[in-house]
Amino acid sequence: MTVAEEELATGSESSGGQAQEQAQTHVRLEHVHKAFPGKGRRGTPFTALDDVDVDIRRGEVFGIIGQSGAGKSTLVRLINGLESPTSGTVRVGDHDLTALDERSRRKVRRDIGMVFQQFNLFRSRTVAGNVAYPLKVAGVDRAERDRRVAALLDFVGLLDRAHDHPEQLSGGQKQRVGIARALATEPALLLVDEATSALDPQTTGEVLAVLRRANRKLGVTIVIITHELDVIRAVADRVAVLHGGRIVEQGSVYDVFARPQAEETARLIGTTLRERPSEATLARLRRKHTGRIVSIRIQDRAGLQTEVARVFADHEVAAEIIFGGIGEVQERPVGSLTFELAGEPAAVDAALGALRAEGVDLIEENP
Ligand SMILES: Nc1ncnc2c1ncn2[C@@H]1O[C@H](COP(=O)(O)OP(=O)(O)O)[C@@H](O)[C@H]1O
Ligand SMILES: [Mg+2]
């Protein structure tokens, strides 16, 4: 740990074993329904969230992905208690937000940091002044404030910009100030709503690295909301896919992106991961390659391709790769390879049978 990290970690919950904390629920939404009056057709209530169940564990980075209008920001406002669900419950730590009055909710909110797309920095204050602001509001004395602001700016890599004003900073730097400010009061939970949507890919990477480090070093639970798949891939442990106010799929980022179950997830992934050739690609491949076509899904399994090559060779089947791609999610491989097979039909069948017996995930692509 660096000096800055030690300074920031004291008093936070990061000192406990992370493995043990992982199993604890930090935020839980049960059967949450949120309707806005008069927004639907003919003035009927508009349903923004429909029967949402989410269980966010202490110490994890939980991603919520969905297109614009899916209900992501509404979900964030339910977690920080700025909105109440029409029905269902929202729990943060030991508190049932739906059962609290506004004053008690405000207390819970003090343990939640917020990071916004538009940074929301004070233009008239310096970088240090922006980070110091929540500490001032919390009544932290001057000397302690200065120490913490220095540690926070060091943590986000902006100590040398302490006396600059926000307008002198790039978008990525502004967002790092936003993160330092959000972390100032040592919240156990950080809500990050489209924090990188206004940034280019390079600065997005810097901001995401800071968030990841805050999670790892300070133990803060992070809920990150985005419409960008790459953001989820880069930082999230688990993910929920929100579509039209409903969670259509959730699980570990690897499982969800390596084997999407819902059509909406597959669409979000699109061609980024080349998880499967599209129908149009397959039609083209079938016209061009008249032999048997099979795809295998890449699994996180050592020697998979060597094994596949050996089985084909043993059965005297010639296998040519005609399509495919391998990418990474959470540093584990995902993707697929499509082969055109040539050989005795019985030998091809035997080879495919042998691969299946070895647990290779095979898809026959001929109609
Ligand atoms: N305060 C509100 N009053 C009426 N409708 C709202 C309100 N907030 C959000 N909505 C509607 O709920 C839907 C989801 O919005 P939002 O949660 O902002 O989606 P996202 O953040 O995924 O883009 C949208 O159709 C939006 O117009
Ligand atoms: Mg939004």
Side-chain angles (χ1 to χ4, degrees), residues 20-187:
Q20 186 195 330
E21 286 177 5
Q22 207 88 70
Q24 279 179 21
T25 293
H26 196 157
V27 178
R28 173 174 281 163
L29 275 70
E30 275 176 307
H31 300 301
V32 163
H33 195 268
K34 178 69 182 175
F36 292 109
K39 245 219 99 199
R41 256 175 264 155
R42 296 184 189 174
T44 53
F46 173 81
T47 301
L49 292 173
D50 187 5
D51 201 21
V52 167
D53 277 309
V54 183
D55 198 334
I56 297 167
R57 300 167 190 161
R58 207 167 272 280
E60 77 172 337
V61 180
F62 192 91
I64 296 168
I65 187 167
Q67 295 163 335
S68 170
K72 306 183 295 294
S73 296
T74 303
L75 203 108
V76 165
R77 286 197 300 276
L78 289 174
I79 296 174
N80 67 19
L82 288 179
E83 302 252 20
S84 297
T86 311
S87 62
T89 55
V90 179
R91 300 187 64 88
V92 176
D94 299 330
H95 308 281
D96 177 355
L97 292 189
T98 37
L100 298 180
D101 59 16
E102 177 51 28
R103 222 177 108 223
S104 316
R105 267 208 297 270
R106 216 175 296 141
K107 241 182 240 163
V108 177
R109 211 175 291 139
R110 262 185 232 144
D111 206 25
I112 303 177
M114 289 286 307
V115 180
F116 311 91
Q117 179 175 357
Q118 298 307 331
F119 321 126
N120 297 5
L121 300 178
F122 293 114
R123 301 174 62 179
S124 58
R125 289 174 202 257
T126 62
V127 164
N130 269 280
V131 178
Y133 182 75
L135 295 170
K136 219 168 169 173
V137 171
V140 176
D141 70 51
R142 180 71 194 259
E144 171 68 8
R145 224 155 61 206
D146 288 350
R147 238 160 27 96
R148 290 195 57 79
V149 169
L152 286 157
L153 288 178
D154 191 21
F155 187 78
V156 301
L158 290 172
L159 193 50
D160 56 336
R161 309 303 296 268
H163 304 294
D164 287 341
H165 278 81
E167 79 238 21
Q168 293 166 272
L169 303 182
S170 71
Q173 289 168 332
K174 280 182 203 158
Q175 196 53 290
R176 274 144 67 197
V177 176
I179 294 169
R181 180 188 53 189
L183 291 172
T185 50
E186 300 184 309

Side-chain angles (χ1 to χ4, degrees), residues 244-256:
R246 294 187 71 92
I247 299 223
V248 294
E249 183 159 3
Q250 61 180 319
S252 86
V253 169
Y254 186 80
D255 289 344
V256 169

